[in-house]
Amino acid sequence: MAEIRQTFFQECEEQLSEMELGLLAMDEGNADSETVNAVFRAVHSIKGGAGAFKLTELVQFAHSFETALDHVRSGKLTPTPEMMKIMLRAADVLSDLVEASRDGREINEANYAGIAADVKALTTVDGVEEVEEPIDFQPTVIDFGMPELAIEPAPTASDEHEYRINFAPRPELYANANETILIFRELNRLGAMQATCDASAVPALDEIDPNGAYFSWAVQLKSDVEIAAVREVFEFVDGEADLTIETDGQAEVSDADIAALLAQALGTSPPADEANASPAIAETISVEAEPEPVAATSEAVAEEPVAPVQAVESSKPDTKAAAIPTQTTIRVEFDRVDRLINLVGELVINQAMLSQRVIEANFAGSSSVVIGLEELEQLTREIQESVMAIRAQPVKPLFQRMSRMVREVADATGKEVKLKTEGEATEVDKTVVERLAEPLTHMIRNAVDHGIESPEVRLAAGKPAEGTVRLTAAHRSGRIVIELSDDGAGINRPKVRASAINKGLIPADMQLSDSDIDNLLFLPGFSTAATISSISGRGVGMDVVKRSIQALGGRISISSRPGLGSTFSMSLPLTLAVLDGMAVSVAGQTLVVPLTAIVETLKPKKSEVHGLGSDGRVMSIRDTFVPLIDVGTQLGFRETPTQPENSVALLVETGGGARNALLVDSIQDQRQVVIKSLEANYGTVAGIAAATILGDGRVALILDVDALVSKSFEETLVGELHYGTGG
Amino acid sequence: MTQTILTVDDSRTMRDMLKMALVEAGYNVLQAVDGVDGLDVLQTSAPPDVIVTDINMPKMDGFGLIEAVRKDSRYRKVPILVLTTESDAAKKMRAKEAGATGWIVKPFEPTKLIAAIRRVAA
């Protein structure tokens, strides 16, 4: 059972995601009937499963939600933007309830009472909630307000009842694969039974319809069970046979009669045949001596609720969905995949060591050992890529969560914002997806809270009242690029600059380009909001966002156009396990520089390097000057800067497109390295992203180029600041 | 002889629960994930003694499955029980019209499920 429970919650995840996707399509206004059906089914399934696990709150909420969706499905409700807002909020509540149920947390109904009422109100016509089917395991007392239905407490009858049952099956009974003999078998379980067949209706042989029903039966049953139990035996053949059950001299009222009466009382008409079948009883109904008449009645009511609307549901097989081939999948625990990835990592290192040994042993390039080794290398790489693919996940679930964030922040700030997503199918390592959630959440909050203007301001600026936040993902040259853009006001550069000066982050007279100003947002301790709002200002600044992205081996850049909006662009590695890097030597150490950061390598001439400020240096490359960063001194490998003419410069591009030159002693080679976390094994080191094991077994550090550059940039800024205040 | 039940439901949870209850009671269980799959399973296996099907399913819903099964002379006499979440009269009636034999109300007690199957299985 515990396993099924786990399956249930896994399935819930899938269904919630399906639901959200469908609702968003509906919100966009491009949902076909199958989309609506799929959303309905998702909620319906969640309710069904939740019922099995007795998750009452979940069932109740899902039930109202489902009812509303059913109305949309059947065309009784036409989705309006306001309605979709409620539906989307309801979807959020449903997700929360699923999550709370899964974690066994207590559910506080007050938290979502408002939305629950809104959802209920959707199916409320003129203030009267439509007759809803009572949920089976949540029996509610239904007051039908029918004074003429006087139910007297029954005198206690003797235990043994004698039932006389007249049963005349109609052809439909047999057509639906019911069998008289099976019904009798069930009756026989209840007590001593005797059946007499009336074959008088059988026509002449040549007139017999093989699918007809000609026999009727009179059954005598002696049993101590109540009449409800006897009726239950005939439950499935209700309406497919003429049936009367009498006991102790009284005819029992059939469900149909009660339905007819209820229908009359409620002013609706029952199906015609049932009404005709018992018009007399409908006039003068009385429920006779039965030990539990109330229970029997309400059960009958539950069985046959008066549903005036016989919703004609489309049973057309849906051709669209049928076209999608079902993919066979297996479920594997992540631990196992991670173990495999670790092993493959070791394999890569081992293969590199073996290559090194072979080189050291001076085998000829054409020898079978070298050729075999090359094949091994290729195979290793393929295995590695395949294993990485197992961990790859589409960013879709992440993006979906963001759409919820946008709704919540938009609601809280009174703005109208729509999230548009593209490239949800783009796949990236699971860990990257997971660790992106937090920085992305923060950026989305920022975009809605600070980026998008209020509807009035937007209208005044000639923009639509509803702002758009666009979230896209795409694969670009071996990395995943995620862009978040808004069509808001853009970065208020004078304000950003003033704020940075106020906070002492930059000297007042510092000359900054537009892009420099934009990048000030990433400085630690920076926050533009004059008053920190509860939405964005949660003690996390863009500097934290930047650091999280960098920790993933990614880069983040910003661009903004006043009045038109801002775009944050993040480029991240597809996997965190391997890296293509350039091995360089610095002060006798081997370091690895991620290849993606390197634009070109240069041999600087003495004449190209110029001093700048107190101890800064720039290098002239073609017709521009680029800051020169001495890796050796920056990382504290040596005190004095190295001579540029004896070194190699790596022109690197950091997030935002800024270029810098890293000065190293020499280049060793280019290789693929397996990333070993430094945080997990040692601690965080500024400017260092991770470590790796080289072919000869030594440990080499992998440079975090962005961090190294910004570290040097900050130090220079601080230097300038001191210089400025001192002068 | 062991009786075989074909369960058709798009929810893995429900399929698992049905299977658990049915296997416990000594039945053979065949599974399908929707109406189309259900018909496929019927094509490739001996006729089951009872079919238990959900109504709301993608591709082909329960009504579609029942109609298709009833049209096929081989399965015309196979009892079909539909799973309904509530005692939804409209749905039951619609299932009956399509040719359903009976119904099981979800969430079901295993004993109720077995009783319903016993009631229709020859």
Side-chain angles (χ1 to χ4, degrees):
Chain A
M1 207 56 183
E3 265 173 52
I4 298 181
R5 193 183 158 94
Q6 200 180 348
T7 309
F8 167 64
F9 285 114
Q10 276 173 4
E11 214 177 355
C12 274
E13 294 278 301
E14 292 159 22
Q15 276 148 352
L16 287 172
S17 143
E18 175 105 344
M19 167 191 75
E20 173 110 27
L21 207 65
L23 284 175
L24 288 174
M26 284 163 73
D27 193 29
E28 299 267 303
N30 47 21
D32 52 14
S33 65
E34 175 47 27
T35 312
V36 183
N37 266 330
V39 174
F40 172 81
R41 269 202 309 273
V43 177
H44 181 78
S45 286
I46 291 174
K47 184 180 92 171
F53 295 105
K54 308 222 167 16
L55 305 169
T56 318
E57 292 89 349
L58 186 52
V59 173
Q60 283 176 335
F61 187 79
H63 182 71
S64 339
F65 193 12
E66 180 193 356
T67 310
L69 285 165
D70 196 30
H71 279 55
V72 174
R73 195 169 71 140
S74 62
K76 270 194 275 176
L77 275 179
T78 313
T80 60
E82 293 74 42
M83 192 191 296
M84 287 316 300
K85 233 178 213 171
I86 296 175
M87 294 247 179
L88 285 164
R89 291 293 298 272
D92 296 343
V93 170
L94 193 65
S95 302
D96 287 347
L97 288 177
V98 166
E99 208 173 285
S101 307
R102 182 190 60 206
D103 304 342
R105 269 184 282 131
E106 205 157 302
I107 292 167
N108 184 358
E109 286 186 48
N111 288 346
Y112 60 89
I115 278 295
D118 284 350
V119 171
K120 276 225 169 83
L122 289 179
T123 50
T124 304
V125 182
D126 299 332
V128 181
E129 198 171 330
E130 285 196 20
V131 178
E132 241 183 89
E133 311 94 31
I135 305 170
D136 265 4
F137 58 90
Q138 275 279 311
T140 41
V141 180
I142 305 163
D143 179 10
F144 285 93
M146 296 189 333
E148 67 267 43
L149 219 175
I151 298 164
E152 297 288 323
T156 321
S158 68
D159 284 353
E160 179 105 333
H161 304 279
E162 195 177 317
Y163 298 100
R164 278 175 304 285
I165 303 161
N166 286 307
F167 179 57
R170 290 200 286 263
E172 304 95 273
L173 183 143
Y174 297 111
N176 286 354
N178 271 304
E179 282 295 342
T180 307
I181 181 83
L182 295 176
I183 292 167
F184 288 173
R185 189 177 71 187
E186 283 301 310
L187 278 181
N188 208 15
R189 284 173 199 270
L190 300 178
M193 165 202 133
Q194 198 181 1
T196 318
C197 177
D198 175 3
S200 60
V202 178
L205 191 59
D206 56 347
E207 286 168 21
I208 287 183
D209 174 357
N211 291 323
Y214 302 107
F215 296 122
S216 56
W217 308 81
V219 182
Q220 304 267 347
L221 175 70
K222 280 190 180 143
S223 170
D224 53 2
V225 301
E226 302 310 336
I227 197 160
V230 180
R231 287 209 57 79
E232 204 184 322
V233 173
F234 294 95
E235 186 188 9
F236 291 165
V237 298
D238 180 37
E240 295 172 353
D242 297 322
L243 175 69
T244 58
I245 302 173
E246 289 172 16
T247 180
D248 307 325
Q250 299 290 345
E252 200 250 347
V253 183
S254 76
D255 290 349
D257 301 332
I258 292 177
L261 182 80
L262 288 180
Q264 206 186 43
L266 292 173
T268 55
S269 30
D273 57 343
E274 286 191 8
N276 294 340
S278 50
I281 305 175
E283 292 296 328
T284 58
I285 184 142
S286 67
V287 176
E288 292 302 331
E290 268 307 313
E292 286 178 299
V294 178
T297 310
S298 62
E299 188 194 320
V301 168
E303 293 290 333
E304 300 276 343
V306 185
V309 186
Q310 309 293 343
V312 181
E313 288 174 60
S314 159
S315 68
K316 276 181 204 156
D318 135 50
T319 44
K320 224 184 235 171
I324 303 165
T326 343
Q327 283 194 324
T328 328
T329 55
I330 55 160
R331 285 166 183 273
V332 184
E333 285 160 33
F334 265 110
D335 286 354
R336 293 194 190 190
V337 177
D338 286 348
R339 190 173 145 66
L340 185 61
I341 285 179
N342 265 332
L343 283 174
V344 172
E346 299 296 330
L347 177 70
V348 172
I349 292 172
N350 213 280
Q351 176 261 320
M353 286 171 141
L354 193 60
S355 300
Q356 186 116 1
R357 294 292 111 77
V358 168
I359 291 162
E360 282 164 12
N362 276 326
F363 278 101
S366 58
S367 77
S368 53
V369 173
V370 173
I371 292 169
L373 204 62
E374 274 168 13
E375 280 167 9
L376 176 67
E377 194 179 334
Q378 197 169 349
L379 278 177
T380 313
R381 206 169 240 268
E382 273 176 35
I383 291 175
Q384 201 173 21
E385 278 167 11
S386 313
V387 172
M388 296 308 163
I390 298 178
R391 273 190 66 98
Q393 284 195 327
V395 293
K396 187 167 123 184
L398 177 69
F399 279 20
Q400 278 178 12
R401 261 193 280 170
M402 294 307 138
S403 85
R404 172 175 184 176
M405 183 62 58
V406 167
R407 283 199 296 280
E408 286 181 356
V409 181
D411 277 359
T413 54
K415 294 174 181 176
E416 290 174 32
V417 188
K418 177 152 273 179
L419 179 75
K420 289 200 168 153
T421 55
E422 266 172 48
E424 294 102 325
T426 314
E427 291 193 336
V428 68
D429 187 272
K430 179 180 176 283
T431 314
V432 177
V433 175
E434 281 168 0
R435 294 215 217 137
L436 261 179
E438 206 167 305
L440 207 53
T441 304
H442 185 74
M443 289 164 70
I444 292 259
R445 277 204 203 111
N446 268 342
V448 178
D449 194 18
H450 300 316
I452 303 287
E453 317 91 321
S454 62
E456 305 82 58
V457 175
R458 289 184 63 88
L459 287 171
K463 296 192 213 179
E466 187 179 59
T468 305
V469 173
R470 192 179 295 273
L471 186 59
T472 65
H475 280 159
R476 220 171 285 158
S477 54
R479 291 174 77 85
I480 180 170
V481 177
I482 295 179
E483 278 190 356
L484 176 73
S485 55
D486 63 67
D487 65 349
I491 291 171
N492 186 341
R493 295 200 176 105
K495 197 171 148 197
V496 167
R497 194 190 149 88
S499 173
I501 293 170
N502 266 344
K503 294 192 169 83
L505 296 170
I506 52 165
D509 55 352
M510 197 170 181
Q511 288 297 311
L512 291 170
S513 67
D514 284 354
S515 117
D516 288 341
I517 295 175
D518 294 349
N519 278 299
L520 288 174
L521 292 183
F522 293 120
L523 280 184
F526 188 90
S527 174
T528 54
T531 52
I532 291 175
S533 78
S534 65
I535 308 295
S536 311
R538 297 200 180 171
V540 213
M542 284 304 289
D543 59 317
V544 179
V545 168
K546 185 173 183 173
R547 251 181 285 142
S548 336
I549 301 292
Q550 281 173 336
L552 287 169
R555 298 192 293 258
I556 182 165
S557 64
I558 181 173
S559 67
S560 178
R561 292 169 71 191
L564 295 175
S566 317
T567 300
F568 287 88
S569 178
M570 284 160 281
S571 149
L572 294 144
L574 293 178
T575 166
L576 301 176
V578 284
L579 172 103
D580 277 309
M582 185 179 278
V584 298
S585 305
V586 176
Q589 301 281 332
T590 299
L591 295 175
V592 177
V593 185
L595 213 54
T596 46
I598 300 174
V599 180
E600 64 178 298
T601 57
L602 305 149
K603 192 88 187 131
K605 294 190 191 79
K606 196 171 184 178
S607 59
E608 287 169 348
V609 177
H610 309 278
L612 182 79
S614 50
D615 55 356
R617 281 189 293 182
V618 293
M619 181 180 166
S620 96
I621 298 173
R622 289 174 285 274
D623 52 358
T624 58
F625 289 100
V626 198
L628 192 61
I629 298 163
D630 189 319
V631 177
T633 51
Q634 197 59 241
L635 292 178
F637 287 152
R638 57 182 159 222
E639 286 294 313
T640 48
T642 179
Q643 290 306 309
E645 57 271 29
N646 300 332
S647 315
V648 178
L650 309 177
L651 186 63
V652 291
E653 194 175 75
T654 53
R659 291 189 170 196
N660 289 272
L662 300 183
L663 210 53
V664 300
D665 295 354
S666 63
I667 293 172
Q668 294 178 4
D669 59 8
Q670 205 169 301
R671 62 179 79 172
Q672 192 176 45
V673 296
V674 176
I675 299 173
K676 297 274 170 190
S677 163
L678 208 56
E679 283 94 352
N681 300 309
Y682 174 67
T684 315
V685 181
I688 301 296
T692 188
I693 301 166
L694 299 171
D696 58 9
R698 285 190 302 139
V699 172
L701 299 176
I702 300 171
L703 281 191
D704 181 342
V705 174
D706 275 34
L708 193 71
V709 169
S710 57
K711 188 170 164 245
S712 131
F713 176 64
E714 281 157 29
E715 280 168 18
T716 314
L717 272 185
V718 170
E720 296 284 333
L721 192 61
H722 288 162
Y723 180 74
T725 48
Chain B
M1 202 191 81
T2 315
Q3 291 188 322
T4 302
I5 316 293
L6 168 63
T7 62
V8 189
D9 200 311
D10 57 331
S11 154
R12 203 162 55 237
T13 313
M14 223 15 103
R15 286 201 300 276
D16 285 1
M17 300 205 59
L18 286 168
K19 183 163 187 172
M20 193 173 74
L22 292 171
V23 169
E24 182 93 348
Y27 290 102
N28 257 341
V29 178
L30 293 173
Q31 293 184 322
V33 299
D34 56 45
V36 174
D37 190 28
L39 292 177
D40 275 356
V41 172
L42 284 176
Q43 294 302 326
T44 50
S45 329
D49 295 282
V50 176
I51 298 173
V52 176
T53 181
D54 189 21
I55 291 179
N56 286 297
M57 293 183 291
K59 294 188 194 176
M60 182 192 281
D61 63 12
F63 302 130
L65 174 69
I66 296 168
E67 275 162 15
V69 168
R70 287 285 175 257
K71 265 186 213 139
D72 192 319
S73 60
R74 283 172 298 171
Y75 310 117
R76 215 161 43 92
K77 299 302 290 178
V78 177
I80 304 176
L81 296 175
V82 292
L83 288 159
T84 62
T85 314
E86 316 80 19
S87 325
D88 185 335
K91 238 173 235 158
K92 269 186 205 165
M93 195 136 76
R94 181 95 166 67
K96 271 288 183 189
E97 273 165 23
T101 313
W103 52 83
I104 298 160
V105 174
K106 290 192 283 188
F108 56 81
E109 293 291 327
T111 49
K112 283 241 170 107
L113 169 74
I114 304 304
I117 286 177
R118 199 190 54 204
R119 215 189 292 171
V120 297

